[in-house]
Structure formats: structure tokens, C-alpha cells
């Protein structure tokens, strides 16, 4: 079956402004030699499309690029039987119709020369300059002879890195894949399916993120036709059956046109048909399709203020569906998209979705980054740069692309990179959270404080122990929402490491790769010994290993700094001493210790369940006691873990936090278990300036309304 998809909306298109059409290129007729002062006939249609967007463009370089491409590809044929030069011409026309500037079109004509002919990058650089050479190199595939099965993922890695410096690399790749998908019908079915799946998983999400909707929608339809042929045909039949001269959208469009004309608003009202996949999605969402579900109204105006004027008239003269209103002008999407979305009720109860945008917004909505032209063009009014930068600063480089570039450096294995890339691109929405220092973090929807920590601090996030979200204490597992303010709390102990639980809450590849890498480098930290059991009871949504490190009970492999003062003396004067996080001893608790891996001694309260567990497996105790004259752990104070049992009520966490602060204690970490039968369990690891203040602190916490018990942490000892 050919992957060529028919335009589902042609009967619904109205008035004089056509939607960008990418389907009109057929076989290109190659011509013989031409004089040097005129363009070859074969690219006259490219020149026409280019001049429509750039009337003053110099076409000389396009002529030279075409001559080199045609001569180097001469004799090569596509599987369809066409001369190979038809492919770079088709790709270039796609980009020209989207409004790409001359440099992009030049590179597009040459994009396969280095890969498939004897032309070298040095020759491209010599004839066309560094920019064109960079773009051609960016889309050139790596050889299977050199990379084997890793050639495809490593090629995409190479393109992503190149896109990080110049988004035009991915623009050419997307247009290249679109033309290949249009002509995929000549391939074997299994190869069609393989290419379609990669297009679905990688190229379509990239087109969405770059805002190139004109490419994305057609790619979706072509993939839909190959991977779901039966549903595709059903959708085609539904669209064909909906064709009618008296379609309800036509009536509503006429009413909107008259309404805006009477209000003195200059606007163009069009019917924008839905593509196949969009119709299919609406059908799955609503079941039975309405007559207005096959398209949406598009209102184009001149200025931003006119968009809101149109919105006001529509909501005044028609019944609006308020739940459908979205303002992507005041808050643009992460892929540059701007528009007002609303829905109004027309005659006989027909509901029509309406998009309101300026002509410029419409161009960007269709062509995305392609419509922005050359992002590196110098502003004539700007002062000249005295020192060239080694890295090109791309003003169109969005946060999601920066994240991809960051984590791909850690994904050295091609399979890990390929799998992680698909997973990351499957996150189809982005949120922005604010840092307390005024900066912002771009994260995928569903990201947690774990992701924010690694996005802000990189490997430094290994020491994270908690967060404040919108000013309130929160666990690292807390899912962030768009617009949240987040402050990450880090332990002072730089030898701390992450908890295995963090992998359950990490959504970004950067966080997952960093956490996994830490455990690979610290295998002893993955399974703590009984004396380092976590400070959180079973079932709690918490960061137990963070509390261990905060309490001074990090696994031996995590410490590289040597013994640190604890105010505890053990029988082995040369041993490193750690206070166990499972019971957090403070003076005057009676103590006992055990030697753990690396020769360190972990000290427990004598009644700690871990002591019994260690003795049962044959570990010999080590004598330990508080240093004579030491009324406190050290100048840094002491740490203790307290568990507060309470009934659930509003502001309980805030009141507990205030009580702790009033007692001059600092919160190192805090976890809250999900409520059970209206009861809530809070676990706090606290730093006190003096152990003598512990009884008063516990009394202050018990005095908080709703709290019925506060106790020192006691955790079941592990068996075996």
C-alpha cells in the first residue's frame, strides 16, 4: 500500500488563503545544460516558492548547489525508478514552501552528496562556506561498515548534537524523512513498518518540539496509513462521508465573518480541516463524531490586540464553551506556538472550535523554527563581535533540547541512548518551574523534585535530602506542576549518595542515568547492611538513604573523607566512627558498635533492633561510649530522627515545622507517609545544637494540635 495520504480537508477549505501544501511535487523533469545567467528549469519551482517568502533572496548560490548535486548524483536512481536528484529537489521544495532561508535550501540540495557521492565535506566548505558545510555534515549518516547495528542510534545522536548548535540541521532531516515517507510504498512492508515506527517514536516528537506542525501532521498521517491501515481506511471513509456543501462549519464560519465585520475588526475566517490522525483521536475521545469535528475555524488578524478583540466579540455574540478556552499568546507553548483557543455554540447547538492568531503566529505555528530564518544572522545595529565563540549560541535552542544534549553525554551505550531518547520524546508536554534564585528549569510534565535536583545540580544532586515547593517542605518524590517554585535541600556530607527509590520518581533521562551511574560506581551502596537500615518505616514515600547519610550512617563505600568527630569513643581508637541512622543515638543513650565494611564502626543505641540482628548473624560488638565531658555530639550539634503520629488536618505539617523551628532545631530531611484511616506518620531527621534540648523539642511537637505521640525512631531490624 502506498503511504501517500490524500488531503482529508480539501472540500472544507475556503476563501483565498491556502494552508501550506507539501503534497504537490511529482516527478521532476531534468533539463540539459543551461546558460550561467539563468536558473536550471528543474529548480524554478523551488526558486518561486523561495521568493514568495524572501523576495530579495540571491539565487546564485542555489544554482551552484543544484549543478553540483545534479552532476554528483547523475546516474543514481531511487527505488521508485526516478533519478536520484528528484529527492534533494523535493526536500528543498518542502523547506522552501515553509519559508526556509537560502543557506538551509543550499544545504538541503547538497544533503546527500557527501553520504552518497564522491563529494567531500572539504569541497562543500570550499565552494559554499562553513555554515552550509556544518548543515550537510549534521545530516550525513554514519556508515554501517564502521558502526554496525549502532549506526542508526549513533547517527541520531550526531544529528542531535549538531542540532544543539544549529536547529536547521533537524529541519533538513525532517523534510528529508517526509519525502521518504511519501515514497515509501516501493519498499517491502516490513521495511515500511520499521521506518514508520522510528518516524513515530523519534521524528514526529522532534517535529512537535520544533513547532513544525506542517511536517508533523503529514508525517502522522503517513505513519498512520502504514501502521494502522484498517483504522486509516475507516477514518478516510468517515471524512469522505462528511463532505457536504452545507456543512455546519460553513454556516458558523459565515456567522463569525459577519459578526467581526459588523464589529469593525479586519479578520480572515478560514476552515482548517483536521488531518486523519486528528479526526481519529477525536473519534476515540468522543465516540460518535459531530459534523463540526472534521475541522476548526481559523481566524487570522494583524496584531496581538486584535486576537483578544476577536475573542471578546465571539464570547459576546455566541455562547462560549468556557472549558475550551486556552490562552497560548500570554503563555506560549514550549515549541513557540501561540494562539487563542476557544469554542462557541452555533445554530442548532453545533459546537465549533476556534483558533485565533495573527498572520505571523500562523506562520510560526505551521513552520516552527523554520520560519525564524537564520538564527545566527547578525543584527546590523549590533556591535561587531571581537572574539569568535567556540560554541554557536542558538537563540532558538529550547530547554528540552538542552536536556537531551546533557544526558546523551552520559549515555555512552548506543542501546541505552536509543531507548532513553524514545522515552524522553514520549513526554509530550513541558512545564517550567522557578528556582528561588530567579532562574527557571524546563522539565517534562510529571517530573518530580528528583528531576529538578539533577537538572539544577547535575551529579551534585546525589546529596539531595528534600525540597521546598512553593515554600513548603516536600519529599523528593513530589511531582511538580507548571509554575511551581522549588528549592532543593542538599546534605552537607558530600559523600552522600542517592536512594534506589529515586529511580521510581525520576522522569528525566539525566536523573535516571546519573542515579544508575552512581550505583554502578558504588555497588556497596545499593544494598545497605543491617546497621544502616533506612530511617523510614515500610510503605513510606520517602528518601531513606538520604536520611541515613544525614544522620551520619552512610555506607562505608560512600565516605572518602576519613573519620569525622562524633563525640563517641570506641575500643578501636583508629577506626572511623559513624552514628547509625536507624536509631540516631544522642547523649546520654547507652551505646554499642559493630565493625562494617571498610573497617569503620557504626554506633547504635543499645536497645536498637539492629543490634539484635547483628548479634544473631555473628557480628561481635565493639565497646562505645560518649566522650567524657561531652554533653553534645560536637560543635556541629547532634542529629536525631523523630517520628510524630497524628490525626490528619489542614496545616498540620506547617504547625509541626513551626514547632521544630521554635525549638531551635534544623530540619535535615522530612517524610510524610500517605494518610491511613485519617492518621498520618511524619518522620523528621533533625539537627539540634545540643542533645539536652531533645526532651523539650519532643514536648513542643506533642503540644501541636492533632499530634498524639512523638518518639525516637525505631525500625525493624532486617533478617539474615
Amino acid at each position: 500500500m502506498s503511504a501517500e495520504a490524500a488531503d482529508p480537508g480539501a472540500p472544507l477549505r475556503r476563501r483565498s488563503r491556502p494552508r501550506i501544501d507539501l503534497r504537490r511535487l511529482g516527478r521532476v523533469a531534468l533539463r540539459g545544460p543551461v546558460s550561467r545567467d539563468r536558473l536550471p528549469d528543474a529548480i524554478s519551482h523551488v526558486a518561486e516558492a523561495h521568493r514568495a517568502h524572501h523576495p530579495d533572496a540571491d539565487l546564485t548560490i542555489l544554482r551552484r548547489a543544484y549543478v553540483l548535486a545534479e552532476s554528483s548524483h547523475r546516474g543514481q536512481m531511487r527505488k521508485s525508478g526516478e533519478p536520484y536528484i528528484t529527492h534533494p529537489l523535493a526536500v528543498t521544495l518542502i523547506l522552501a514552501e515553509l519559508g526556509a532561508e537560502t543557506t538551509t535550501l543550499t544545504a538541503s540540495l547538497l544533503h546527500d552528496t557527501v553520504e552518497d557521492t564522491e563529494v567531500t565535506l572539504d569541497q562543500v566548505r570550499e565552494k559554499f562556506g562553513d555554515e552550509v558545510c556544518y548543515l550537510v555534515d549534521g545530516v550525513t549518516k554514519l556508515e554501517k561498515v564502521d558502526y554496525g547495528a549502532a549506526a542508526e542510534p549513533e547517527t541520531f545522536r550526531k544529528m542531535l548534537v549538531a542540532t544543539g548548535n544549529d536547529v536547521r540541521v533537524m529541519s533538513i532531516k525532517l523534510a528529508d524523512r517526509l519525502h521518504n515517507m511519501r515514497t515509501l510504498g516501493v519498499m517491502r512492508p516490513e521495511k515500511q513498518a520499521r521506518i514508520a515506527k522510528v518516524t513515530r517514536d523519534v521524528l514526529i516528537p522532534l517535529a512537535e518540539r520544533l513547532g513544525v506542525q506542517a511536517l508533523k501532521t503529514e508525517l502522522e498521517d503517513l505513519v498512520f496509513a502504514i501502521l494502522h491501515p484498517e483504522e486509516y481506511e475507516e477514518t478516510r471513509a468517515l471524512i469522505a462521508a462528511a463532505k457536504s456543501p452545507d456543512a455546519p462549519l460553513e454556516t458558523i464560519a459565515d456567522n463569525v465573518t459577519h459578526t467581526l465585520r459588523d464589529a469593525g475588526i479586519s479578520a480572515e475566517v478560514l476552515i482548517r480541516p483536521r488531518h486523519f490522525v486528528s479526526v481519529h483521536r477525536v473519534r476515540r475521545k468522543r465516540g460518535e463524531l459531530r459534523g463540526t469535528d472534521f475541522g476548526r475555524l481559523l481566524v487570522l488578524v494583524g496584531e496581538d490586540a486584535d486576537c483578544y478583540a476577536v475573542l471578546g466579540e465571539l464570547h459576546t455574540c455566541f455562547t462560549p464553551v468556557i472549558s475550551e478556552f486556552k490562552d497560548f499568546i500570554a503563555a506560549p507553548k514550549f515549541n513557540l506556538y501561540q494562539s487563542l483557543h476557544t469554542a462557541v455554540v452555533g445554530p442548532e447547538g453545533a459546537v465549533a472550535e476556534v483558533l485565533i492568531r495573527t498572520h505571523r503566529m500562523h506562520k510560526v505555528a505551521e513552520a516552527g523554527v523554520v520560519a525564524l530564518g537564520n538564527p545566527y544572522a547578525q543584527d546590523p545595529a549590533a556591535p561587531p563581535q571581537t572574539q569568535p565563540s567556540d560554541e554557536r549560541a542558538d537563540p532558538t535552542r529550547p530547554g528540552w533540547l538542552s536536556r537531551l544534549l546533557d544526558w546523551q553525554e552520559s549515555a555512552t551505550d548506543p542501546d541505552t541512548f536509543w531507548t532513553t531518547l524514545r522515552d524522553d520524546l514520549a513526554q509530550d508536554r513541558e512545564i517550567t518551574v522557578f528556582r528561588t534564585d530567579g532562574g527557571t528549569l524546563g522539565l517534562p510534565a510529571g517530573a518530580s523534585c528528583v528531576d529538578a535536583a539533577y537538572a539544577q545540580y547535575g551529579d551534585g544532586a546525589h546529596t539531595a535530602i528534600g525540597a521546598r515547593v512553593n515554600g513548603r517542605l516536600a519529599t523528593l518524590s513530589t511531582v511538580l506542576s507548571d509554575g511551581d517554585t522549588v528549592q532543593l535541600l542538599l546534605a552537607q556530607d558530600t559523600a552522600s549518595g542517592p536512594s534506589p527509590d529515586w529511580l521510581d520518581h525520576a522522569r528525566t533521562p539525566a536523573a535516571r542515568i546519573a542515579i544508575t551511574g552512581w550505583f554502578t560506581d558504588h555497588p556497596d551502596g545499593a544494598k545497605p547492611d543491617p546497621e544502616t537500615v533506612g530511617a523510614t518505616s515500610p510503605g513510606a514515600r520517602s528518601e531513606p538513604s538520604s536520611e541515613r547519610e544525614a544522620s551520619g550512617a552512610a555506607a562505608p563505600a560512600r565516605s572518602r573523607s576519613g573519620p569525622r568527630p562524633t563525640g563517641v569513643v570506641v575500643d578501636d581508637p583508629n577506626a572511623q566512627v559513624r552514628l547509625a541512622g536507624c536509631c540516631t543515638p544522642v547523649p546520654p543513650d547507652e551505646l554499642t558498635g559493630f565493625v562494617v565494611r571498610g573497617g569503620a564502626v557504626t554506633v547504635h543505641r543499645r536497645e536498637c533492633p539492629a543490634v539484635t540482628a547483628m548479634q544473631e548473624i555473628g557480628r561481635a560488638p565493639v565497646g562505645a561510649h560518649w566522650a567524657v565531658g561531652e554533653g553534645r555530639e560536637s560543635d556541629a550539634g547532634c542529629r536525631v530522627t523523630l517520628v510524630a503520629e497524628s490525626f490528619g488536618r489542614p496545616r498540620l505539617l506547617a504547625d509541626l515545622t513551626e514547632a521544630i523551628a521554635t525549638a531551635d532545631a534544623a530540619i535535615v530531611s522530612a517524610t510524610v507517609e500517605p494518610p491511613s484511616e485519617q492518621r498520618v506518620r511524619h518522620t523528621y531527621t533533625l539537627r539540634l545544637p545540643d542533645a539536652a534540648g531533645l526532651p523539650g523539642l519532643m514536648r513542643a511537637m506533642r503540644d501541636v494540635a492533632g499530634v498524639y505521640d512523638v518518639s525516637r525512631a525505631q525500625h525493624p531490624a532486617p533478617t539474615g
Side-chain angles (χ1 to χ4, degrees):
M1 178 186 65
S2 173
E4 188 75 34
D7 182 355
L12 293 177
R13 194 162 295 146
R14 59 186 281 114
R15 292 170 171 77
S16 60
R17 185 180 177 84
R19 185 181 179 188
I20 294 176
D21 182 8
L22 304 179
R23 300 175 169 91
R24 68 181 179 84
L25 185 65
R27 179 188 293 261
V28 178
L30 297 179
R31 304 296 185 184
V34 296
S35 62
R36 298 181 63 87
D37 60 347
R38 54 185 292 261
L39 285 169
D41 291 339
I43 59 169
S44 59
H45 52 306
V46 173
E48 179 185 353
H50 186 38
R51 281 278 172 83
H53 294 276
H54 304 277
D56 300 326
D58 182 2
L59 303 180
T60 305
I61 191 172
L62 286 182
R63 179 192 187 283
R64 291 195 290 112
Y66 170 76
V67 170
L68 177 59
E70 193 280 326
S71 61
S72 59
H73 286 298
R74 190 174 297 159
Q76 295 179 349
M77 307 296 288
R78 304 195 77 215
K79 290 185 181 296
S80 61
E82 296 173 316
Y84 194 87
I85 190 61
T86 60
H87 172 64
L89 280 169
V91 173
T92 306
L93 179 60
I94 290 170
L95 292 168
E97 291 184 328
L98 288 172
E101 37 67 62
T102 309
T103 301
T104 303
L105 301 186
T106 303
S108 176
L109 283 168
L110 300 170
H111 79 273
D112 276 339
T113 53
V114 175
E115 182 180 324
D116 294 333
T117 76
E118 299 300 319
V119 175
T120 66
L121 283 173
D122 288 339
Q123 289 174 319
V124 173
R125 182 181 293 106
E126 180 183 352
K127 292 178 179 294
F128 301 98
D130 290 338
E131 259 188 324
V132 172
C133 179
Y134 185 88
L135 298 178
V136 172
D137 184 33
V139 295
T140 299
K141 294 179 184 177
L142 299 174
E143 293 290 342
K144 284 191 176 181
V145 173
D146 299 324
Y147 289 85
E152 185 172 39
E154 290 302 326
T155 292
F156 272 97
R157 188 201 297 266
K158 172 175 173 277
M159 289 181 187
L160 277 177
V161 173
T163 300
N165 275 343
D166 196 326
V167 293
R168 294 175 293 179
V169 171
M170 194 55 66
S171 299
I172 296 172
K173 178 59 184 177
L174 291 171
D176 172 66
R177 178 54 60 94
L178 176 56
H179 183 249
N180 283 332
M181 287 294 296
R182 287 176 179 175
T183 57
L184 206 59
V186 298
M187 301 287 187
R188 299 188 309 275
E190 59 272 19
K191 189 168 185 179
Q192 289 187 40
R194 184 186 68 79
I195 295 174
K197 288 176 181 177
V198 173
T199 303
R200 176 196 63 194
D201 296 342
V202 179
L203 274 303
I204 289 175
L206 285 172
E208 168 71 16
R209 281 158 173 72
L210 292 173
V212 195
Q213 293 297 317
L215 300 184
K216 179 215 170 196
T217 54
E218 189 177 352
L219 284 171
E220 282 185 328
D221 283 352
L222 294 168
V223 167
F224 187 34
I226 292 172
L227 298 183
H228 305 283
E230 293 182 0
E231 292 174 324
Y232 176 84
E233 290 301 330
E234 289 177 4
T235 306
R236 180 198 291 275
L238 287 172
I239 293 172
K243 296 176 182 177
S244 170
D246 56 347
L249 273 180
E250 292 281 350
T251 302
I252 299 177
D254 289 335
N255 291 343
V256 169
T257 299
H258 293 143
T259 298
L260 298 180
R261 183 184 301 135
D262 293 343
I265 299 175
S266 177
E268 190 173 0
V269 181
L270 308 171
I271 292 180
R272 181 178 177 84
R274 292 184 184 272
H275 62 294
F276 283 109
V277 171
S278 181
V279 172
H280 177 67
R281 287 172 182 158
V282 173
R283 183 189 179 198
R284 292 182 62 182
K285 177 181 178 181
R286 295 180 182 162
E288 185 175 350
L289 291 172
R290 304 174 304 203
T292 54
D293 288 335
F294 293 91
R296 292 182 286 190
L297 297 187
L298 174 62
V299 181
L300 298 174
V301 294
E303 303 293 337
D304 290 11
D306 296 335
C307 294
Y308 293 97
V310 170
L311 181 70
E313 287 298 322
L314 293 182
H315 282 194
T316 300
C317 300
F318 297 86
T319 301
V321 182
I322 300 301
S323 61
E324 296 293 326
F325 172 67
K326 297 181 180 68
D327 187 345
F328 294 118
I329 295 178
K333 290 186 178 182
F334 67 91
N335 61 0
L336 310 177
Y337 178 87
Q338 287 185 287
S339 186
L340 294 178
H341 289 203
T342 189
V344 296
V345 180
E348 300 179 359
V351 177
E353 295 181 38
V354 185
L355 312 177
I356 309 167
R357 59 180 71 142
T358 65
H359 290 282
R360 182 184 179 280
M361 291 176 191
H362 180 60
K363 181 179 179 181
V364 174
E366 290 287 277
V369 295
V370 180
L372 300 182
N374 182 359
Y376 313 102
Q378 292 293 321
D379 183 352
Q385 291 185 341
T386 56
Q387 285 186 323
S389 174
D390 291 336
E391 284 197 25
R392 309 170 69 178
D394 187 347
T396 68
R397 177 168 164 176
W400 63 266
L401 181 53
S402 296
R403 290 201 309 271
L404 287 182
L405 295 174
D406 288 341
W407 68 251
Q408 69 84 25
E409 294 179 358
S410 304
T412 55
D413 175 67
D415 290 337
T416 300
F417 166 77
W418 195 230
T419 301
T420 309
L421 175 64
R422 294 185 183 204
D423 290 345
D424 188 71
L425 291 176
Q427 305 288 337
D428 60 354
R429 194 168 64 85
E430 182 161 301
I431 63 172
T432 298
V433 298
F434 297 92
R435 301 179 348 205
T436 52
D437 61 3
T440 60
L441 298 173
L443 298 169
S448 67
C449 291
V450 171
D451 300 296
Y454 282 96
Q456 182 169 351
Y457 295 109
D459 287 346
H462 292 329
T463 65
I465 55 176
R468 291 183 184 273
V469 178
N470 300 326
R472 307 193 68 177
L473 283 174
T475 63
L476 290 171
S477 61
T478 301
V479 175
L480 298 168
S481 299
D482 196 32
D484 281 347
T485 298
V486 61
Q487 176 187 5
L488 284 311
L489 308 177
L490 305 182
Q492 296 178 354
D493 180 8
T494 57
S496 299
S499 163
D501 294 345
W502 293 8
L503 287 171
D504 296 333
H505 310 301
R507 294 293 178 269
T508 58
R512 291 197 298 269
I513 290 173
I515 296 167
T516 302
W518 190 93
F519 283 108
T520 300
D521 294 339
H522 302 78
D524 291 342
K527 291 184 178 181
D529 275 342
E531 66 269 26
T532 57
V533 294
T536 305
S537 61
R541 300 178 62 188
S542 60
E543 290 70 46
S545 70
S546 293
E547 294 188 5
R548 288 199 298 275
E549 285 95 51
S551 303
R558 298 182 185 182
S559 176
R560 299 290 182 268
S561 58
R564 58 186 175 192
T566 64
V568 174
V569 177
V570 297
D571 290 351
D572 183 355
N574 296 319
Q576 180 183 9
V577 179
R578 299 190 182 97
L579 299 180
C582 53
C583 57
T584 56
V586 297
D589 295 333
E590 294 185 349
L591 308 175
T592 189
F594 294 92
V595 178
V596 296
R597 285 188 293 268
V601 175
T602 297
V603 176
H604 298 256
R605 295 165 60 194
R606 191 164 290 176
E607 65 269 25
C608 177
V611 172
T612 303
M614 298 297 290
Q615 292 173 335
E616 288 177 350
I617 62 175
R619 295 283 186 93
V622 176
H625 61 271
W626 298 106
V628 176
E630 291 272 348
R632 64 198 69 188
E633 185 182 349
S634 70
D635 290 340
C638 67
R639 296 195 188 197
V640 63
T641 299
L642 300 180
V643 177
E645 306 280 354
S646 66
F647 297 104
R649 68 169 177 83
R651 289 191 52 81
L652 174 63
L653 183 60
D655 291 343
L656 269 171
T657 303
E658 183 178 357
I660 292 169
T662 303
D664 203 22
I667 299 175
V668 176
S669 65
T671 63
V672 181
E673 297 181 26
S676 175
E677 298 180 353
Q678 297 300 313
R679 298 185 181 186
V680 184
R681 179 185 174 97
H682 306 251
T683 303
Y684 296 93
T685 296
L686 308 172
R687 182 192 295 277
L688 286 79
D690 194 304
L694 180 58
L697 169 63
M698 296 175 69
R699 283 195 300 270
M701 294 175 65
R702 289 192 188 101
D703 288 341
V704 173
V707 177
Y708 58 85
D709 188 29
V710 176
S711 60
R712 297 276 296 279
Q714 294 282 355
H715 307 294
T719 59

